[in-house]
Amino acid sequence: MFIQIIDILGTIAFAISGVLVALDKRMDAFGVLIIAFVTAVGGGTLRDVMIGIEPVSWMRDMTYVYVIIGSAFFAVLLRQKINYLRTSLFLFDTIGLGLYTVVGIETGLVAGLKPIICIALGTMTACFGGVIRDILCNEIPVIFRRKEIYATACILGGLSYFLLLKVMGDSNFVFILSGLIVIITRLLAVRFNLGLPSLYKKEE
Amino acid sequence: MFIQIIDILGTIAFAISGVLVALDKRMDAFGVLIIAFVTAVGGGTLRDVMIGIEPVSWMRDMTYVYVIIGSAFFAVLLRQKINYLRTSLFLFDTIGLGLYTVVGIETGLVAGLKPIICIALGTMTACFGGVIRDILCNEIPVIFRRKEIYATACILGGLSYFLLLKVMGDSNFVFILSGLIVIITRLLAVRFNLGLPSLYKKEE
Amino acid sequence: MFIQIIDILGTIAFAISGVLVALDKRMDAFGVLIIAFVTAVGGGTLRDVMIGIEPVSWMRDMTYVYVIIGSAFFAVLLRQKINYLRTSLFLFDTIGLGLYTVVGIETGLVAGLKPIICIALGTMTACFGGVIRDILCNEIPVIFRRKEIYATACILGGLSYFLLLKVMGDSNFVFILSGLIVIITRLLAVRFNLGLPSLYKKEE
């Protein structure tokens, strides 16, 4: 129950982040809805298709569809005021990031895949909705450009998951703790402005 | 038989629309062929992959492959004169839109999916070939930008499908009528220059 | 054994080509790794998803993952000197092209698909990693733009495969010979600067 509420909050945050990008690109109402949808379910869809879980998740559980349509509608209506909500949005997005990572990892485990693949699936679930959003908006995906800690937090959380699994055995704590590690890493990185080391001599 | 002829006309129209965009981008012969292919079968492929119908449709029925290669060849040969055909092309494209929508909906129904998901699949089948075409051509997909009634016609046709299904029961009329609703909506919208309401205060 | 070494060399070459493009775009470390990955396994992943071989190949055989991570690390470290290696890279890439084409064809045959579809799958396996790389980097895919012989070599090799299969029956020679035809076509085309005929009156 608790998990499901967090899941829905994450979906809302991702959907709204999609709406904001689409509005920046001056898309029409249909475009805004699709970008909201793709941002929220794109990562999980890619994961499901690659593993072979079909029909993909959002086709089987209608909650996502309703939540996304609702969020998009709400975000468009309040678009003038949504800037005041940016801090809450950032929090939702970070919570979604942590949760989606662990959901992706566990989906991989259920399919019998190796840990390193599961970590990749977790990161994909959390980050690739945003990647597809950026491709549809004709941008180089933001997570490939900024040296920000974003996908890195997912990878770190994924490593922790398997470490904790070894130490504690299969338990809900593993889920919660490794999700928290993603969230805390991300929060600390933004708070203290930490980033990946630059690969280039002189940044423009 | 009648349906199949319409299906092929739709495929031809979508393939040719791909060729025209690719030529505008000054692609080479291989690029033109791929863009024609992707525009014609991209939406259905995405649908099949997400539902889990694999190998995807165009790998099982060779008609599509031959029709697309033929159309691309023809369109490239007659590229100087194809502008005279733009009205017929628009008609084919609109007919294809209606037909692909209903085909997508029925594919979803056969897979046991809920009506709202089926409508999404119908819209995807009809519109996402063009979306993938635009991504490969490095453009923001045209259906997300113009306020034109295009995907909206598919959604309307999809809603009608399930309404008619309730009223009339399972019959070929449902197929034909809801396809016609897509087509007529699209024709009327273009004729009277109707569009989605703008989300922005002042359009540039 | 021999085949597997070539396969790994191809994977390395494709991964490094991804790193070079990502560095040109000034991506961060995570972006570079993802682009390397996608360039090396993107074509095969698309093929597997469309046929329905899931989980896709690189999730089942960890060799790819290790080889790609290693190559990306190596390429980033030596990025100042990698320009001296461009000729060897071109050779690896060409060998990979030949091998991936035949692997794609045979995957299609095992799935019971028709020859023309198998040729499309072979070409997709060899070329679409680069296509996805270019889309993520926000470019029109290079193989659609240059009039260079690249995908055309794969198609030629694919046609030879089925010709040889008819003449020689099922044997390893068919595999090796048609792979060689891809490689030699590509080498000759580059050496003598051959290209597809232009579709346009006056090239800019």
Side-chain angles (χ1 to χ4, degrees), chain A residues 11 50 70 187:
Chain A
T11 306
M50 283 187 179
L187 290 179

Side-chain angles (χ1 to χ4, degrees), chain A residues 90 93-94 97 146 148-151 153 180-191:
Chain A
F90 166 73
D93 182 81
T94 305
L97 196 74
R146 286 193 271 171
E148 228 175 71
I149 303 285
Y150 192 87
L180 277 177
I181 286 169
V182 177
I183 293 169
I184 291 167
T185 308
R186 174 79 181 136
L187 290 179
L188 288 178
V190 169
R191 175 70 189 76

Side-chain angles (χ1 to χ4, degrees), chain A residues 123-154:
Chain A
T123 309
M124 195 190 282
T125 308
C127 301
F128 268 61
V131 170
I132 304 177
R133 175 199 65 207
D134 293 341
I135 292 173
L136 288 175
C137 292
N138 202 16
E139 302 274 358
I140 295 186
V142 68
I143 63 159
F144 298 167
R145 277 182 291 142
R146 286 193 271 171
K147 298 184 309 301
E148 228 175 71
I149 303 285
Y150 192 87
T152 316
C154 303

Side-chain angles (χ1 to χ4, degrees), chain A residues 18-19 21-36 72 76, chain B residues 140-152 155 194-200 203:
Chain A
V19 170
V21 175
L23 288 174
D24 274 356
K25 289 274 168 180
R26 303 189 75 79
M27 290 190 177
D28 66 23
F30 176 75
V32 168
L33 182 63
I34 296 293
I35 300 292
V76 167
Chain B
I140 294 186
V142 68
I143 63 159
F144 299 167
R145 276 182 292 142
R146 288 194 272 171
K147 300 185 309 299
E148 228 175 70
I149 303 284
Y150 192 87
T152 316
I155 296 174
L194 304 173
L196 297 179
S198 171
L199 296 175
Y200 310 95
E203 291 293 319

Side-chain angles (χ1 to χ4, degrees), chain B residues 19 22-35 37-38 45 48-50 52-62 65-66 69 76 79-80 132 135-139, chain C residues 47-54 111 113-114 116-117 120-121 123-124 127-128 131 135 138-148 151-152 155 196-204:
Chain B
V19 170
L23 289 174
D24 273 357
K25 290 273 168 180
R26 302 189 77 79
M27 289 192 179
D28 66 23
F30 176 75
V32 169
L33 182 63
I34 295 293
I35 300 293
F37 211 90
V38 154
T45 300
D48 288 351
V49 161
M50 282 187 181
I53 302 174
E54 290 147 348
V56 297
S57 314
W58 60 267
M59 293 189 182
R60 284 173 287 126
D61 181 352
M62 299 302 292
V65 176
Y66 298 138
I69 293 177
V76 167
R79 62 190 176 282
Q80 250 86 37
I132 305 177
I135 293 173
L136 288 176
C137 293
N138 201 17
E139 303 274 0
Chain C
R47 176 200 66 215
D48 288 351
V49 162
M50 282 187 181
I51 300 184
I53 301 175
E54 290 149 346
L113 298 168
K114 294 245 169 59
I116 197 170
I117 301 292
L121 286 172
T123 309
M124 194 190 283
C127 301
F128 268 61
V131 170
I135 292 173
N138 201 18
E139 303 274 359
I140 295 185
V142 68
I143 64 160
F144 299 167
R145 277 182 290 146
R146 287 193 271 170
K147 299 182 309 298
E148 229 175 69
T152 316
I155 297 173
L196 297 178
S198 172
L199 296 174
Y200 310 95
K201 283 228 172 106
K202 203 173 135 188
E203 291 292 320
E204 60 281 73

Side-chain angles (χ1 to χ4, degrees), chain B residues 85-95 186-187 190:
Chain B
L85 296 171
R86 284 207 186 253
T87 314
S88 343
L89 267 183
F90 167 72
L91 276 179
F92 286 168
D93 183 82
T94 304
I95 294 171
R186 173 80 181 136
L187 291 179
V190 170

Side-chain angles (χ1 to χ4, degrees), chain C residues 124-196:
Chain C
M124 194 190 283
T125 308
C127 301
F128 268 61
V131 170
I132 304 177
R133 175 198 65 207
D134 292 343
I135 292 173
L136 288 176
C137 292
N138 201 18
E139 303 274 359
I140 295 185
V142 68
I143 64 160
F144 299 167
R145 277 182 290 146
R146 287 193 271 170
K147 299 182 309 298
E148 229 175 69
I149 303 285
Y150 191 89
T152 316
C154 303
I155 297 173
L156 219 73
L159 293 171
S160 318
Y161 184 96
F162 287 99
L163 216 76
L164 290 167
L165 199 66
K166 260 215 168 119
V167 179
M168 307 172 70
D170 195 358
S171 105
N172 275 329
F173 280 111
V174 178
F175 184 101
I176 293 166
L177 276 178
S178 48
L180 277 176
I181 286 168
V182 177
I183 293 169
I184 290 166
T185 308
R186 173 80 180 135
L187 290 178
L188 288 178
V190 170
R191 176 70 189 76
F192 296 106
N193 205 13
L194 305 173
L196 297 178

Side-chain angles (χ1 to χ4, degrees), chain A residues 113-204:
Chain A
L113 298 168
K114 294 247 168 60
I116 198 171
I117 302 293
C118 293
I119 296 173
L121 286 171
T123 309
M124 195 190 282
T125 308
C127 301
F128 268 61
V131 170
I132 304 177
R133 175 199 65 207
D134 293 341
I135 292 173
L136 288 175
C137 292
N138 202 16
E139 302 274 358
I140 295 186
V142 68
I143 63 159
F144 298 167
R145 277 182 291 142
R146 286 193 271 171
K147 298 184 309 301
E148 228 175 71
I149 303 285
Y150 192 87
T152 316
C154 303
I155 296 174
L156 218 73
L159 292 171
S160 318
Y161 184 96
F162 287 99
L163 216 76
L164 290 168
L165 199 64
K166 257 210 171 124
V167 178
M168 307 171 69
D170 195 358
S171 104
N172 275 330
F173 281 111
V174 178
F175 184 101
I176 293 166
L177 276 178
S178 49
L180 277 177
I181 286 169
V182 177
I183 293 169
I184 291 167
T185 308
R186 174 79 181 136
L187 290 179
L188 288 178
V190 169
R191 175 70 189 76
F192 296 106
N193 205 12
L194 304 173
L196 297 179
S198 171
L199 297 174
Y200 310 95
K201 284 226 172 107
K202 203 172 134 188
E203 291 293 320
E204 62 278 76

